[in-house]
Amino acid sequence: MQTYTITPICAGVFQGAEKSNFAYQKDPGVKLKAPILMYLVQGNGLCMLVDTGGSGEEWAAKHHHRIVQTEDMIPVNALRKLGVEPEDVQIIVNTHLHWDHCWSNGCFPNAKIYVQKREIQFALCPIPTQYTYYESPQIGLRPSWLDGVERMEIIDGDYALCDGIDLLLSPGHTPGFQCVYVNTTDGRYLITSDSTGITEAWEDKQTWGLPTPSGIHVNLLEYYETIRRLYPLADQAHILAGHDASVLEHSVYPYK
Ligand SMILES: [Zn+2]
């Protein structure tokens, strides 16, 4: 099986993110500095992004939460530092269409964008608790994923993207969420993104014997089906969580 490298990119940092948003009812009131993460996946001629980060500081403060985004954190700048031009990106996988995961989709003119059918359907008409996350027209906003929509490849369910990379439909945080399962020289990595908001949520199995879902979710029954399904995979894989600062402790995965 082919192997790839995974480079985490910090596209901004939430300055006071509510911990219980990342792990359901865990330590309410505790605030975290939480990175907005995206990933560059490379190998065998492939240049792929998993997610494309969120907005700049002004927009985030106005519509979401205060973030810090240095020039180096702007996705196009971060990628140039890694030797990747916007035109080089062949594939984008959006784990889901929340604003902080698809903001820069439009910056990569040659990329096919893989999104789950259920995610697009829901993003067009979310439930009110999710309006802000999707920047939905129902509250007078224009979703950033519309940039590049003509290049979207709509998939429906698990999808073998290429040798060594699988997209796994993982509903719960959102209806059409997908995790990215990547083979490396150090075994599989599971990019769980917001399905596991922080690493602690996955490791915190003591209470119920299963990892803790994100505090932000649309369906806990489906979420637990997802967790049960991913659990055996994740026990043999490395988890890359959605907004956990520890992901940035290594500049590239695998790191040994
Ligand atoms: Zn999300």
Side-chain angles (χ1 to χ4, degrees):
M1 194 183 297
Q2 299 286 7
T3 59
Y4 302 86
T5 60
I6 305 167
T7 304
I9 293 169
C10 177
V13 182
F14 289 116
Q15 294 301 292
E18 172 66 33
K19 184 176 177 182
S20 63
N21 278 354
F22 298 132
Y24 183 51
Q25 294 188 343
K26 192 169 178 66
D27 301 331
V30 172
K31 305 293 183 190
L32 301 176
K33 285 204 171 179
I36 295 170
L37 294 170
M38 52 184 276
Y39 298 90
L40 171 65
V41 178
Q42 292 171 296
N44 311 301
L46 178 72
C47 180
M48 172 177 111
L49 298 179
V50 176
D51 291 334
T52 61
S55 72
E57 292 180 358
E58 204 174 311
W59 182 271
K62 184 174 178 193
H63 295 285
H64 304 284
H65 309 285
R66 197 164 71 82
I67 66 163
V68 165
Q69 187 190 51
T70 63
E71 285 291 308
D72 283 354
M73 292 176 182
I74 295 169
V76 167
N77 296 349
L79 285 163
R80 284 212 168 102
K81 267 201 142 178
L82 294 167
V84 174
E85 291 297 317
E87 294 76 18
D88 299 338
V89 177
Q90 301 154 336
I91 288 175
I92 293 168
V93 174
N94 286 134
T95 57
H96 60 310
L97 294 175
H98 283 171
W99 71 282
D100 53 334
H101 292 263
C102 61
W103 185 272
S104 292
N105 277 11
C107 296
F108 306 98
N110 298 324
K112 271 190 185 177
I113 302 166
Y114 286 80
V115 180
Q116 289 284 339
K117 181 178 170 186
R118 288 183 65 181
E119 188 66 11
I120 279 282
Q121 288 172 333
F122 187 75
L124 290 168
C125 193
I127 56 176
T129 57
Q130 297 264 333
Y131 283 167
T132 308
Y133 306 140
Y134 283 98
E135 297 193 340
S136 79
Q138 286 84 350
I139 52 170
L141 298 178
R142 178 186 179 275
S144 53
W145 55 264
L146 287 175
D147 297 329
V149 71
E150 70 283 359
R151 289 181 277 110
M152 273 189 178
E153 293 280 323
I154 311 294
I155 56 176
D156 190 9
D158 291 351
Y159 186 80
L161 185 69
C162 58
D163 186 16
I165 301 179
D166 296 288
L167 310 183
L168 306 175
L169 178 63
S170 312
H173 178 66
T174 65
F177 195 95
Q178 55 185 350
C179 295
V180 187
Y181 198 40
V182 182
N183 195 43
T184 76
T185 55
D186 186 32
R188 287 278 198 166
Y189 276 72
L190 186 62
I191 301 174
T192 54
S193 180
D194 287 5
S195 200
T196 309
I198 49 177
T199 311
E200 188 182 325
W202 192 269
E203 291 167 349
D204 182 27
K205 300 167 192 163
Q206 305 92 313
T207 315
W208 297 291
L210 287 170
T212 307
S214 168
I216 297 168
H217 48 257
V218 292
N219 187 325
L220 275 178
L221 296 177
E222 278 200 332
Y223 210 141
Y224 272 109
E225 282 175 24
T226 289
I227 287 173
R228 287 195 176 89
R229 177 171 179 248
L230 296 182
Y231 201 55
L233 298 178
D235 266 1
Q236 299 157 24
H238 309 267
I239 295 283
L240 294 174
H243 292 280
D244 198 307
S246 69
V247 169
L248 296 167
E249 288 171 6
H250 299 286
S251 57
V252 67
Y253 296 90
Y255 56 89
K256 58 183 179 184

